[in-house]
Amino acid sequence: MRYLLLTVAAASLAVPVLAQDAAPPPSPGEIAAAAKPDEWVAIDAADLLVMDLASGAAGKTRRVVIQLMPAPFSQGWIGNIRKLATAHWWDGTSVNRVQDNYVAQWGDATEKKPLPSGLAVVPESEYVSHFQTFVSGNEADPKAYYRYPFVEMISAELTVAKDGKGKRQDGYGYQTGFSKGWPVVGELSARAKGKYQPALWPVHCYGAVGVGRNMSPDTGSGAELYAVIGHAPRHLDRNIALVGRVISGIEYLSSLPRGTEALGFYAEEKERVPIVSIRIASELPAAEQPKFEYLSTESESFARYADARANRRDPFFITPAGGADICNIPVPVRAVTAK
């Protein structure tokens, strides 16, 4: 497993002077487009949620495809979502809330539709995933180094000070990176006798899909879902369950009229956008199953792509930024066309 800091060292900004006839540095999109075929990872149809909205203007089809989050994150809620989709529970419900620069939310606006039996009640502790530590040195030493397993693009080690705190790399956590292609934050949480256990949680970036809930300790069942359509609301991290991300059709949610009631809810039923169906893609006929793949976050091309996102050197840019917010490094996803 290769690890890499997201924070770009100043030394990386030193770019050699290019000869006049040299090609300009590639853009992030060009780097992703040139990635080798074996650097792309196919997304299983069983991990795709397909939402078909009622047709738009001139009968235009509106399909939103959501990739469900992999283990170990949010699996209780995702299990519920699979049951809801298999039961066709969302058919006939609607997008009933669109709040500007925030979220689009869907589910049963009446809150009277019976839920399928057997849905799990997931505790708040599941907002964060904990792992066993990998320790280099003496575990009792507060300056020992701890590793986060299953994570790419995150520093391999975090120095722990005597007070049990490390230097924050990110305003919302100590370190940011990617786990199996998903943006995450890592931190050390206190355990008994001064020991620490790595904790990881997913991040509310643009397009992230989460579970609506009422006041704590309610955590939501997964029947009410939302997608982020504005600036990343990172304050929601660890306060609500993230279960996936929109990988196609976000424009059908982000372009909807904003609701005029509190929190962006629609005032009248006629304003709501009907949902024709929501299915797990593997339930659809083989010929109709959407196919997507993402650029492996362990690949050399992704490392170059992430660096290019943090330090734009292509001709339009004047001054490389020297760093990037985790949400400003979206993992490239592409549709796979049938051959």
Side-chain angles (χ1 to χ4, degrees), residues 13-271:
L13 299 180
V15 181
V17 177
L18 297 174
Q20 288 187 347
D21 59 348
S27 68
E30 290 170 334
I31 292 171
K36 300 175 183 178
D38 62 2
E39 292 182 303
W40 292 89
V41 180
I43 302 173
D44 195 299
D47 295 327
L48 294 177
L49 197 65
V50 179
M51 176 166 65
D52 287 327
L53 304 176
S55 299
K60 184 177 180 180
T61 299
R62 294 188 287 185
R63 170 167 284 189
V64 179
V65 181
I66 297 165
Q67 181 188 5
L68 296 175
M69 194 167 289
F73 304 109
S74 305
Q75 294 305 291
W77 292 281
I78 290 172
N80 286 350
I81 288 169
R82 293 184 185 280
K83 291 178 181 178
L84 288 158
T86 300
H88 301 178
W89 185 86
W90 280 291
D91 297 10
T93 60
S94 63
V95 178
N96 49 58
R97 174 193 178 194
V98 182
Q99 187 171 358
D100 190 50
N101 197 32
Y102 200 43
V103 300
Q105 187 165 317
W106 61 92
D108 173 30
T110 69
E111 299 185 341
K112 296 179 181 179
K113 188 171 185 176
L115 293 171
S117 61
L119 297 184
V121 176
V122 190
E124 291 178 343
S125 59
E126 295 300 306
Y127 293 150
V128 174
S129 293
H130 289 89
F131 303 90
Q132 294 298 316
T133 56
F134 287 76
V135 183
S136 174
N138 181 3
E139 187 174 0
D141 181 357
K143 292 185 178 181
Y145 293 100
Y146 292 77
R147 295 182 180 274
Y148 296 98
F150 317 121
V151 179
E152 305 88 43
M153 285 296 294
I154 198 167
S155 69
E157 299 174 334
L158 170 64
T159 302
V160 182
K162 290 183 179 179
D163 61 0
K165 296 180 180 180
K167 181 181 179 182
R168 281 180 177 265
Q169 179 193 341
D170 178 82
Y172 294 89
Y174 285 96
Q175 293 176 302
T176 54
F178 295 87
S179 175
K180 301 179 183 178
W182 294 77
V184 296
V185 172
E187 195 166 276
L188 296 178
S189 57
R191 299 175 65 197
K193 299 180 180 180
K195 297 180 181 179
Y196 292 84
Q197 186 177 21
L200 293 175
W201 58 89
V203 178
H204 274 80
C205 294
Y206 182 80
V209 174
V211 176
R213 67 168 175 84
N214 292 316
M215 298 296 288
S216 174
D218 179 65
T219 61
S221 66
E224 195 80 14
L225 297 175
Y226 64 85
V228 174
I229 59 168
H231 183 75
R234 295 283 308 279
H235 59 284
L236 295 178
D237 297 352
R238 291 186 292 177
N239 287 284
I240 202 162
L242 279 175
V243 292
R245 61 184 172 195
V246 177
I247 59 173
S248 178
I250 187 68
E251 66 272 19
Y252 300 125
L253 297 173
S254 63
S255 63
L256 291 175
R258 276 37 179 166
T260 56
E261 295 293 286
L263 303 178
F265 282 94
Y266 288 129
E268 300 181 31
E269 181 179 353
K270 64 182 180 180
E271 296 178 278

Side-chain angles (χ1 to χ4, degrees), residues 24-27 30 312-318:
S27 68
E30 290 170 334
R312 296 300 296 268
R313 306 181 184 95
D314 37 312
F316 177 83
F317 291 86
I318 301 168

